[in-house]
C-alpha cells in the first residue's frame, strides 16, 4: 500500500492517478470527504500537521509520497517508521540544493530533506523545477481578455509536467531508487513569453504578452504572499541564485520515454483555458 499526501494537488493528484492506473494499492490523504479520486484509490481524511489524525492512514503502508514543509517532519516520520513504513519519496525542489536557511523556500525544502535523511527510512528525493501547471495562474487574465501580464519575464525555466513528476514518483515508490536525488525538468527552457506563444497556438487565440517590470512584479508579490516568500523568490529570480533553465534528462532516463513538452501539457489541459 502506498500513501500519497497532497493527494488533490497538482502533483499529488497525478501520483494517485499513476498508481491507480498501474493497479497499485493507493491511499490518498485528503482533508475533505468529498474529494474526487480515481477508481481504485482509497480516501483517508487526515492532516500531517495533526499527527493523531493520520494514524489509520499509515496502517499497512509500505511507502509514502510526501510533501515538504510540515510542522514536525521528524515526529511524523518517526510515527511512519514505527507503523512499518519503509520508504519515503519526497517532493522537494531545486532550491534544496542551495541549503540557504535564510531563504524561506530553500529553508523548508532543505529541512524536509534533512529530516527524511535522518529518519532511518529509505528515501528518494524529487527536485523538480517550475511546474508547467503554473501557467494556470494566468487563467483569470485569459478569461478576461487576450493579454497576459507576467512576472519575471526574463527568467527562463525548463518547466516540467506534473504528470512526469508523478511517473517518476510512482516508480520510486515501487523501489530501486533508494538514496537517489532526481532532478526533474522538461525538455527545454522557456521564458513566460514563449509559454504564452504556445498557449496562443494551442488555443487558437491571438494573445499579447506583457512583461512586468521588477517594481510591478514586487508589488504583485507583496499583495499576494508573506514578505519572507517575496524575498525568497526575489533572491531566486532577480538575484539569480536558482537555476531553473538547465535541462536534466532524468524523466527520460527513469521512465524510458521523453519528458513532455509544454505544448503537450497545454494540449492536454486546453479545456481548462476555455
Amino acid at each position: 500500500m502506498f500513501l500519497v499526501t497532497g493527494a488533490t494537488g497538482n502533483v499529488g493528484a497525478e501520483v494517485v492517478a499513476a498508481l491507480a492506473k498501474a493497479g497499485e494499492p493507493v491511499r490518498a490523504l485528503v482533508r475533505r470527504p468529498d474529494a474526487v479520486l480515481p477508481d481504485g484509490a482509497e480516501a483517508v481524511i487526515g492532516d500531517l500537521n495533526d499527527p493523531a489524525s493520520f494514524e489509520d492512514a499509515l496502517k499497512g503502508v509500505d511507502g509514502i509520497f510526501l510533501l515538504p514543509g510540515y510542522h514536525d517532519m521528524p515526529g511524523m516520520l518517526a510515527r511512519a517508521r514505527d507503523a512499518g513504513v519503509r520508504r519515503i519519496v519526497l517532493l522537494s525542489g531545486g532550491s534544496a540544493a542551495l541549503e540557504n536557511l535564510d531563504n524561506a523556500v530553500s529553508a523548508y525544502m532543505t529541512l524536509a530533506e534533512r529530516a527524511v535523511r535522518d529518519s532511518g527510512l529509505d528515501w528518494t528525493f524529487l527536485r523538480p523545477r517550475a511546474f508547467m501547471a503554473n501557467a494556470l495562474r494566468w487563467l483569470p487574465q485569459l478569461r478576461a481578455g487576450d493579454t497576459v501580464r507576467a512576472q519575471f519575464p526574463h527568467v527562463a525555466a525548463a518547466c516540467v509536467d506534473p504528470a512526469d513528476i508523478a511517473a517518476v514518483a510512482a516508480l520510486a515508490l515501487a523501489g530501486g531508487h533508494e538514496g537517489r536525488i532526481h532532478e526533474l525538468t522538461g525538455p527545454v527552457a522557456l521564458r513566460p513569453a514563449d509559454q504564452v506563444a504556445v498557449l496562443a497556438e494551442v488555443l487558437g487565440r491571438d494573445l499579447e504578452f506583457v512583461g512586468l517590470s521588477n517594481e510591478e512584479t514586487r508589488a504583485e508579490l507583496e499583495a499576494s504572499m508573506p514578505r519572507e516568500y517575496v524575498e525568497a523568490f526575489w533572491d531566486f529570480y532577480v538575484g539569480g541564485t536558482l537555476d531553473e533553465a538547465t535541462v536534466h534528462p532524468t524523466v527520460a532516463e527513469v521512465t524510458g520515454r521523453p519528458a513532455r513538452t509544454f505544448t503537450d501539457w497545454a494540449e492536454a489541459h486546453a479545456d481548462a483555458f476555455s
Side-chain angles (χ1 to χ4, degrees):
M1 174 68 74
F2 299 123
L3 175 66
V4 177
T5 69
T8 58
N10 283 331
V11 179
E14 296 282 5
V15 176
V16 172
L19 290 169
K21 184 177 181 180
E24 298 284 1
V26 55
R27 185 174 294 154
L29 189 68
V30 297
R31 296 190 181 187
R32 294 168 54 93
D34 59 349
V36 177
L37 298 172
D39 291 341
E42 172 191 344
V44 60
I45 298 174
D47 180 353
L48 289 184
N49 283 325
D50 177 13
S53 75
F54 67 93
E55 293 289 349
D56 289 344
L58 294 173
K59 293 179 180 178
V61 169
D62 182 66
I64 300 176
F65 174 77
L66 184 64
L67 271 61
Y70 292 102
H71 295 162
D72 182 14
M73 292 286 284
M76 186 276 296
L77 291 162
R79 285 175 179 265
R81 185 183 62 245
D82 292 344
V85 174
R86 297 188 301 133
R87 181 176 300 118
I88 300 293
V89 175
L90 177 71
L91 181 66
S92 183
S95 67
L98 303 176
E99 295 188 315
N100 181 0
L101 300 186
D102 293 325
N103 178 296
V105 175
S106 178
Y108 82 76
M109 298 289 187
T110 299
L111 294 174
E113 288 194 1
R114 289 179 183 177
V116 173
R117 286 181 191 272
D118 294 341
S119 69
L121 296 165
D122 291 336
W123 57 263
T124 306
F125 296 156
L126 308 183
R127 290 182 179 172
R129 301 312 190 258
F131 298 168
M132 291 179 181
N134 290 349
L136 294 171
R137 69 188 183 275
W138 296 326
L139 274 175
Q141 296 186 64
L142 290 169
R143 287 169 178 160
D146 292 324
T147 299
V148 175
R149 303 170 72 253
Q151 302 167 355
F152 304 117
H154 303 298
V155 175
C159 297
V160 60
D161 189 331
D164 281 342
I165 302 171
V168 174
L171 292 169
L173 283 167
H177 296 256
E178 291 80 4
R180 296 177 65 182
I181 298 174
H182 289 318
E183 310 282 352
L184 304 178
T185 72
V188 64
L190 300 175
R191 291 181 173 83
D194 302 321
Q195 292 183 312
V196 171
V198 170
L199 289 174
E201 182 175 354
V202 169
L203 301 176
R205 293 174 60 178
D206 185 14
L207 301 179
E208 178 187 7
F209 176 82
V210 176
L212 298 181
S213 67
N214 281 351
E215 292 76 13
E216 291 169 322
T217 294
R218 192 171 186 95
E220 282 196 359
L221 292 176
E222 290 179 348
S224 63
M225 64 181 67
R227 175 58 68 88
E228 61 266 28
Y229 288 100
V230 175
E231 298 303 335
F233 291 118
W234 208 257
D235 182 46
F236 292 156
Y237 301 131
V238 177
T241 61
L242 180 62
D243 173 20
E244 294 198 311
T246 296
V247 173
H248 294 270
T250 316
V251 170
E253 291 173 348
V254 174
T255 67
R257 60 162 177 76
R260 293 181 176 91
T261 67
F262 187 70
T263 299
D264 294 333
W265 178 88
E267 289 175 344
H269 296 83
D271 288 349
F273 292 91
S274 299

